[in-house]
Amino acid sequence: MESFRKDFTTGFVDKSGNPGMFPSQVSLIVAMLSAGTMVGALISAPIGDLWGRRLSLIAALGVFCVGAIFQVCATNVPLLVVGRTLAGIGVGIVSVLVPLYQSEMAPKWVRGTLVCAYQLSITAGLFAAAGVNILTHNMKGAAAYRIPMGLQLTWAVVLALGLLILPETPRYLIKRGYKDAAALSLSRLRRLDITHPALIEELAEIQANHEYEMALGPDTYKDIFFGEPHLGRRTLTGCGLQMLQQLTGVNFIMYYGTTFFQRGGVEDPYTITLIMQIINMVSTLPGLAVVESWGRRRLLIVGAAGMAICQLLIASFASANGTDERMQSQILVIFVAIYIFFFAASWGPVVWVVTSEIYPLKLRAKSMSISTAANWLLNFGIAYGTPYMVDNERIEGSGSIDLGSRIFFLWGAFCILSIAFVWFMVYETSKISLEQIDEMYERVDHAWNSRRFEPSWSFQQMRDFGFSDSGIPPTEPQLELQQSRSSGSQSETGGSSTNTATTASQDDKLPIPLGHVDFSY
């Protein structure tokens, strides 16, 4: 914005004679938010496990608000950078704990769609930000940039107020040993009476799964990489997905889109950026619609293929038609729009879905913090390095190169790499519970076979019938023998075994009375 460049310039003048910012300053202002988010993501695990998902989110919002206030009050680059760093720490904690909260409290049949709604809300925020920028960028004075910065506080307050009335996740409460509180939380989330058989069964499965996981070893950071079943592979999957999401080049468009379109000869770059944000928001809806039916793997592969084609075409046309600026700008806008569609429908939301699902309960917060920190590390690198890669001001001594649209060759290559990574590393997690994902990693050797996985047992069976620590259930005759021994020992203490067996078989045929279903929430 003209008013921002005028107020914050330190003497740089662009080739048109207008005040501006050095690439090093632009890199620092943009990238320090991502540096803060990386720190926030790393500290989210210990505080999320200590204070709980809900209270940690509220604390993170407090840190974010302090950072936003610093930004609004800033009159120079250093104070602005401090404010963005503090805000980034809050964003980093939120970026881990919000999808974690969603996945831990959602029923399995809508879990993927609900976590996708996290990305939908992000795109709605980006769209709102672009709209505010259009309304304020021509204003004279500091209000042009302080209004957008100040409006950040609005949504932080909304989120904090909402969290005050939401319960803690039942899985976290089970992890802390608060079974009664977990039952009450699950009752509120499912809108079922606390004595409802379905609710009792789900709670028992969560508790049995946690007991099984704790029996395999402690929940330390070392176990993230060396624990069982295949926790190192899961951590690599989560970190790889988060890093590749950034290497598709999406934040190159989100952070520098307006400037890039302007330098690419696009008329009215603010309007084009707003259109891109509309596409980004609307295109998330198809992803929500098919994430359960298509599955995570197929959607990620199709999305990466679509993005690669668009990016390689942009770069190829830019190289072949270097002199026709108008043609370049038209091709740039068209294929960036298609690229945004593929990203928003696939890699935008689904990466967060997968990384919120694949980790066991005892290590979920720690593992998600590591994988999300990997996302923000690449985010920081791209945000900091982009001005040096595409800057065409040719500032002497700045180290800048003029790749322009040819930078899409780089992003396209990483999209091709993403297809291979998903095929070999990403397991299909749709339509199974978080507890059954452990069994899938135990029994399925290769990711491309995971779509055919069918759960064969539950953690309640493991607890009740004493399955081995390897997670392999006994054969059917062994299971029948265990059951008969159990019923035989009960009959010896309770009278005639014949009468007991007859009574039990008759009772099994009676319908189970359902608890009261309360829809008054």
Side-chain angles (χ1 to χ4, degrees):
M1 294 179 179
E2 182 181 349
S3 57
F4 178 85
R5 288 186 280 115
K6 181 180 177 181
D7 290 350
F8 283 83
T9 186
T10 56
F12 172 77
V13 178
D14 64 20
K15 60 185 178 182
S16 300
N18 299 315
M21 312 289 289
F22 289 100
S24 59
Q25 293 175 318
V26 175
S27 296
L28 192 65
I29 292 170
V30 176
M32 286 309 294
L33 179 80
S34 300
T37 53
M38 185 175 65
V39 174
L42 290 173
I43 66 174
S44 64
I47 67 170
D49 284 339
L50 179 64
W51 297 344
R53 312 337 185 189
R54 175 175 161 272
L55 291 179
S56 298
L57 279 168
I58 295 173
L61 292 168
V63 175
F64 173 84
C65 288
V66 172
I69 291 170
F70 274 38
Q71 293 176 64
V72 174
C73 298
T75 56
N76 52 55
V77 171
L79 185 58
L80 181 64
V81 168
V82 170
R84 284 182 62 79
T85 305
L86 286 174
I89 293 173
V91 171
I93 298 172
V94 169
S95 68
V96 174
L97 296 183
V98 165
L100 177 62
Y101 183 97
Q102 291 174 311
S103 66
E104 287 192 351
M105 65 89 170
K108 62 184 178 182
W109 52 87
V110 295
R111 188 178 64 239
T113 302
L114 189 60
V115 179
C116 280
Y118 168 72
Q119 178 68 16
L120 176 64
S121 299
I122 290 175
T123 60
L126 291 169
F127 166 67
V132 171
N133 287 341
I134 283 183
L135 295 175
T136 64
H137 82 279
N138 284 325
M139 295 175 65
K140 303 298 180 183
Y145 56 85
R146 284 183 176 162
I147 289 174
M149 290 178 179
L151 284 175
Q152 297 177 97
L153 293 164
T154 306
W155 317 115
V157 171
V158 169
L159 181 55
L161 291 176
L163 286 166
L164 290 176
I165 62 173
L166 286 171
E168 183 56 82
T169 70
R171 286 177 170 85
Y172 171 76
L173 293 170
I174 286 290
K175 176 183 173 73
R176 300 292 292 185
Y178 305 133
K179 184 177 179 181
D180 292 340
L184 183 61
S185 172
L186 194 63
S187 175
R188 287 186 60 192
L189 292 168
R190 300 293 182 266
R191 298 197 176 194
L192 294 174
D193 189 271
I194 201 168
T195 61
H196 194 284
L199 189 142
I200 293 173
E201 182 180 357
E202 182 176 0
L203 189 67
E205 179 70 0
I206 294 171
Q207 184 171 14
N209 168 248
H210 178 60
E211 292 172 359
Y212 167 73
E213 289 177 354
M214 296 308 296
L216 297 181
D219 54 344
T220 64
Y221 277 97
K222 178 182 177 181
D223 288 276
I224 293 174
F225 302 100
F226 302 104
E228 292 293 338
H230 302 293
L231 293 185
R233 183 192 302 175
R234 297 199 228 183
T235 301
L236 177 61
T237 300
C239 291
L241 283 175
Q242 294 282 13
M243 295 169 76
L244 287 169
Q245 185 196 57
Q246 294 303 307
L247 290 170
T248 61
V250 62
N251 277 330
F252 167 69
I253 299 297
M254 297 304 168
Y255 288 160
Y256 298 106
T258 303
T259 305
F260 184 72
F261 289 139
Q262 188 176 39
R263 291 175 177 171
V266 175
E267 297 179 4
D268 199 356
Y270 279 94
T271 302
I272 295 298
T273 302
L274 179 65
I275 293 171
M276 294 301 171
Q277 300 299 353
I278 293 173
I279 294 171
N280 189 27
M281 181 176 65
V282 174
S283 300
T284 309
L285 297 175
L288 268 71
V290 301
V291 67
E292 302 294 352
S293 57
W294 280 25
R296 287 43 160 167
R297 279 172 55 85
R298 183 182 299 175
L299 194 52
L300 287 171
I301 290 173
V302 171
M307 289 189 293
I309 292 171
C310 292
Q311 290 168 329
L312 294 176
L313 285 173
I314 292 171
S316 299
F317 278 116
S319 300
N321 298 299
T323 58
D324 191 344
E325 191 171 290
R326 181 176 177 81
M327 176 70 73
Q328 276 194 49
S329 64
Q330 290 175 346
I331 291 171
L332 177 66
V333 170
I334 291 170
F335 282 105
V336 166
I338 300 173
Y339 156 74
I340 291 294
F341 165 79
F342 278 108
F343 176 84
S346 58
W347 279 76
V350 179
V351 165
W352 294 105
V353 174
V354 174
T355 54
S356 69
E357 292 176 335
I358 60 175
Y359 303 118
L361 173 60
K362 69 174 181 177
L363 293 168
R364 189 167 295 141
K366 292 182 176 66
S367 299
M368 278 198 68
S369 73
I370 295 296
S371 63
T372 306
N375 177 298
W376 290 116
L377 176 64
L378 267 293
N379 194 313
F380 170 78
I382 292 169
Y384 192 83
T386 294
Y388 295 97
M389 291 190 289
V390 300
D391 191 276
N392 60 3
E393 297 289 347
R394 297 291 190 180
I395 300 143
E396 189 172 348
S398 68
S400 300
I401 57 176
D402 185 12
L403 287 178
S405 296
R406 291 188 297 276
I407 195 174
F408 284 99
F409 276 129
L410 179 64
W411 309 138
F414 279 115
C415 285
I416 294 172
L417 177 63
S418 300
I419 297 173
F421 184 86
V422 172
W423 177 260
F424 288 105
M425 294 297 296
V426 177
Y427 280 62
E428 183 55 65
T429 54
S430 61
K431 299 183 176 66
I432 58 176
S433 71
L434 294 179
E435 287 68 40
Q436 291 165 341
I437 291 172
D438 279 343
E439 181 194 356
M440 178 177 64
Y441 272 93
E442 182 75 33
R443 290 175 46 203
V444 180
D445 292 332
H446 303 294
W448 55 86
N449 294 327
S450 59
R451 286 185 63 87
R452 297 194 294 270
F453 168 73
E454 291 291 339
S456 61
W457 46 271
S458 72
F459 285 95
Q460 292 184 71
Q461 288 177 317
M462 291 178 63
R463 181 185 60 185
D464 296 340
F465 300 120
F467 292 4
S468 67
D469 289 342
S470 67
I472 301 175
T475 59
E476 203 63 36
Q478 290 174 320
L479 181 58
E480 291 175 1
L481 180 61
Q482 287 176 335
Q483 291 173 327
S484 64
R485 285 176 178 173
S486 175
S487 62
S489 62
Q490 290 174 357
S491 63
E492 288 173 5
T493 58
S496 171
S497 60
T498 305
N499 292 339
T500 304
T502 303
T503 304
S505 62
Q506 291 174 349
D507 290 343
D508 288 342
K509 298 177 183 178
L510 294 176
I512 299 175
L514 296 179
H516 173 64
V517 181
D518 185 5
F519 292 103
S520 62
Y521 289 93

